[in-house]
Amino acid sequence: MAFRADELRVLRRALAFALHPAPMPDEDVQDCLRLAGSVDEAVAEAGRLRAFLLADLVRYRDALPGSLAGYLELLQDALAAGYDPLPEDLAALRALRGGPLAAALLERCQMIAERSVRARLAGRAATTPAPRSRLLALPGGRAAEPDRPKAPPAPARPVPPSERPAPKPSEVFPPRRPVPQPPQRRAG
């Protein structure tokens, strides 16, 4: 992602404010909010572009072997953008591995897929970035205004017996526990 000169100035002011909090003029707050909106828009556009690329990749994969050159090119682009190959991609590359480019892509995809599976098994987070939450307020700017009192919660109304759900049999009749039998005596 690249920033324009004016966006870099806004970013620099916001970082300076984060390091040394002080009241921010309304104009600076508005600039920061505009920059946050631009970043959100760029992230959304990147998501739309990724979805389009992946849909195109699926179309080319479904049209194999006639779309071999286009599929391999799209797969390379998708891998460069952080795409984790699907089992369908690996199967298609195995069928096409007679060509040197397909064989090289198969090796690369197998390594990426193996790394992805190990990461999921290890419980690590996915490699895709989490969506960024919206910037609601900046301390020292408009957030310095007094807080509004919160409304008290509404009292819960009693539920009439006709609206209550019927209890499950396991709630009414607890499970039976085995009763130990006394040892049997033998007559002797």
Side-chain angles (χ1 to χ4, degrees), residues 63-154:
L64 284 173
S67 62
L68 176 64
Y71 173 70
L72 295 178
E73 184 180 326
L74 282 172
L75 183 59
Q76 285 178 325
D77 291 345
L79 292 174
Y83 172 68
D84 284 340
L86 300 174
E88 295 87 3
D89 294 313
L90 295 172
L93 288 171
R94 283 188 194 103
L96 302 169
R97 69 176 156 215
L101 181 58
L105 274 174
L106 176 61
E107 286 181 34
R108 184 175 171 195
C109 286
Q110 285 174 332
M111 287 185 346
I112 292 171
E114 183 178 326
R115 195 176 319 132
S116 176
V117 167
R118 285 186 182 177
R120 276 184 272 157
L121 289 176
R124 284 191 254 158
T127 58
T128 57
R132 191 173 66 82
S133 62
R134 291 207 36 88
L135 179 63
L136 298 178
L138 296 172
R142 293 190 179 183
E145 295 175 2
D147 292 333
R148 295 180 185 160
K150 295 181 181 177

Side-chain angles (χ1 to χ4, degrees), residues 3-4 9 13 26 41 52 79 86 89 96 109 113 119 128 133 138 141 162 176 179 184:
F3 290 103
R4 296 186 319 246
R9 280 192 290 277
R13 282 193 313 254
D26 281 345
E41 187 178 320
F52 176 77
L79 292 174
L86 300 174
D89 294 313
L96 302 169
C109 286
T128 57
S133 62
L138 296 172
S162 61
R176 292 184 186 170
V179 178
Q184 301 230 350

Side-chain angles (χ1 to χ4, degrees), residues 13-98:
R13 282 193 313 254
L15 290 174
F17 172 74
L19 292 173
H20 306 287
M24 252 178 121
D26 281 345
E27 182 180 319
D28 288 347
V29 171
Q30 291 302 319
D31 289 342
C32 289
L33 291 174
R34 275 193 294 277
L35 179 62
S38 296
V39 170
D40 286 341
E41 187 178 320
V43 168
E45 182 62 30
R48 285 190 294 273
L49 182 61
R50 179 178 168 83
F52 176 77
L53 176 68
L54 296 180
D56 218 16
L57 182 66
V58 169
R59 267 197 345 240
Y60 273 78
R61 184 179 57 226
D62 291 343
L64 284 173
S67 62
L68 176 64
Y71 173 70
L72 295 178
E73 184 180 326
L74 282 172
L75 183 59
Q76 285 178 325
D77 291 345
L79 292 174
Y83 172 68
D84 284 340
L86 300 174
E88 295 87 3
D89 294 313
L90 295 172
L93 288 171
R94 283 188 194 103
L96 302 169
R97 69 176 156 215

